Amino acid sequence: MMLAEGGTEHGHHVNILRSKSLFGPYEPNPANPILTHFSTKMQNSNIQGLGHADLIQAPDSSWWMICLGYRTSGYLLHVMGRETMLAPVRWNKNEWPVVNGNGTIAIDMKCNTLPEVPMPLDPVREEFKYVKRDVPADSYSSIGLPWGWMSIGNPDYSRYSLTEREGWLRLHTTSTPLDAATSPTFVARRQTELRFSATSLIDASHLAEGSQAGITAYAAPQNHYDVMVERKNGRLFAKSNIRVGTLSHTGQPKDYYYMQVSTDGKSFATLAKMDFRYLSTEVIGGFTGVMLGLFAQGEAGYADFDWFEYTTE
């Protein structure tokens, strides 16, 4: 019997017990936990929150552990949510399983690996080409967006279109803003690396007075960093917006999200920068991680997005 304990934060760990009967009694492993980074040796590792594990045996008879964990940045805070991790296991006859030799996981582990199987990669640039898919009508894929794009709440799919302007994603505004935990006009994909660049080309010429559209690093309704275009007094203005809890700042330590804008696609001006910690799970709670998305909000109008590009280091 294997179980995760200690919550899903830094103290997360995996214990194991055994019995000759399904109904017990169970004998705990005297070396429990068999996987954890809540120790003097690993408490400063950039990998934390290890748990919810499964043991599997490969066709070559080798044993492996699959578990959840997260990669942290500075201050042991994380912004990317939980990820799936894999570690080798030594499990000799009449003994307890031992994960990676010492009950920990590292980015690089010396072991005999399993055969590599190429997996399809997410495209660096999403061109927003409509592709008809045989999927349920109540999903983003039904409007032609590929798997991996997500929303908030229960979206109104009439606000999204890949066919009204060929090669562009059209987002119709709604009076529900990003700050609301209901259903703003919003599509996003996950942040998957600590260092990245997310860029989109937007045509905001059809926004109505007071409406806004743009790109966001979104962790929660009250925690997101945005670059947006707004129509005000008949003109379009680019601005940054930083939402941190009850604090909201609009205007121009260690790691930052940089909010930038360009009119020619070559020269980018920095509107603002903000510490990553205010989007981290340890500061705001939750466990989903930051989403990188496109949005449109306001009483009327729409914005068109030609492409979305996501590059990592």
Side-chain angles (χ1 to χ4, degrees):
M1 177 184 293
M2 194 164 60
L3 60 154
E5 296 191 70
T8 55
E9 298 80 29
H10 290 352
H12 211 26
H13 56 270
V14 178
N15 288 338
I16 194 168
L17 306 89
R18 65 187 179 189
S19 173
K20 294 182 179 180
S21 168
L22 178 63
F23 301 100
Y26 282 86
E27 169 198 0
N29 183 352
N32 276 335
I34 62 171
L35 177 67
T36 186
H37 280 190
F38 195 59
S39 62
T40 301
K41 179 180 180 181
M42 301 302 291
Q43 63 184 352
N44 291 319
S45 169
N46 68 319
I47 298 176
Q48 294 293 335
L50 298 172
H52 294 146
D54 281 315
L55 286 167
I56 60 170
Q57 189 172 25
D60 64 359
S61 297
S62 62
W63 283 93
W64 298 84
M65 175 173 280
I66 298 175
C67 68
L68 294 181
Y70 50 78
R71 290 178 289 162
T72 64
S73 302
Y75 321 107
L76 287 181
L77 308 178
H78 73 283
V79 297
M80 294 188 298
R82 292 184 289 180
E83 301 175 287
T84 304
M85 301 190 179
L86 177 71
V89 174
R90 184 182 73 247
W91 198 346
N92 297 331
K93 186 176 181 180
N94 297 324
E95 295 183 6
W96 294 95
V98 178
V99 181
N100 192 34
N102 60 4
T104 67
I105 286 181
I107 295 295
D108 296 311
M109 293 173 282
K110 294 183 178 180
C111 61
N112 294 323
T113 62
L114 298 171
E116 293 187 6
V117 178
M119 298 293 290
L121 300 176
D122 291 329
V124 170
R125 176 178 288 212
E126 174 55 55
E127 297 285 359
F128 295 128
K129 303 294 185 182
Y130 175 75
V131 177
K132 183 175 176 57
R133 292 180 170 86
D134 185 19
V135 295
D138 57 344
S139 69
Y140 275 130
S141 296
S142 68
I143 66 170
L145 281 174
W147 298 108
W149 287 87
M150 290 165 273
S151 63
I152 303 169
N154 298 312
D156 178 355
Y157 295 105
S158 66
R159 302 179 192 150
Y160 308 81
S161 175
L162 288 173
T163 58
E164 292 180 20
R165 182 178 179 182
E166 186 177 354
W168 295 68
L169 170 63
R170 177 163 294 176
L171 299 182
H172 291 269
T173 62
T174 173
S175 57
T176 303
L178 284 178
D179 296 347
T182 50
S183 184
T185 300
F186 171 87
V187 292
R189 53 153 299 168
R190 293 191 180 280
Q191 178 182 334
T192 60
E193 297 297 335
L194 297 176
R195 298 183 63 85
F196 72 92
S197 175
T199 312
S200 185
L201 174 61
I202 177 175
D203 175 0
S205 59
H206 292 90
L207 287 177
E209 182 70 17
S211 293
Q212 304 162 335
I215 185 170
T216 179
Y218 179 97
Q222 302 298 307
N223 298 83
H224 49 89
Y225 304 157
D226 320 319
V227 175
M228 62 175 66
V229 179
E230 178 180 17
R231 184 173 294 281
K232 186 176 181 180
N233 297 325
R235 299 179 60 191
L236 293 175
F237 295 88
K239 65 180 185 180
S240 63
N241 180 67
I242 298 169
R243 185 62 189 261
V244 180
T246 59
L247 302 177
S248 181
H249 170 72
T250 300
Q252 305 267 106
K254 183 180 179 181
D255 295 313
Y256 299 90
Y257 284 85
Y258 288 83
M259 285 147 275
Q260 300 178 319
V261 66
S262 172
T263 57
D264 60 9
K266 300 177 181 178
S267 177
F268 285 79
T270 298
L271 300 176
K273 68 177 183 179
M274 193 64 180
D275 198 315
F276 79 95
R277 74 179 75 186
Y278 302 115
L279 298 186
S280 71
T281 294
E282 286 73 15
V283 172
I284 68 173
F287 57 85
T288 303
V290 170
M291 310 295 291
L292 305 170
L294 309 172
F295 67 94
Q297 57 191 26
E299 296 299 329
Y302 59 84
D304 292 332
F305 298 83
D306 189 16
W307 45 261
F308 175 90
E309 186 172 278
Y310 176 73
T311 59
T312 62
E313 294 183 13

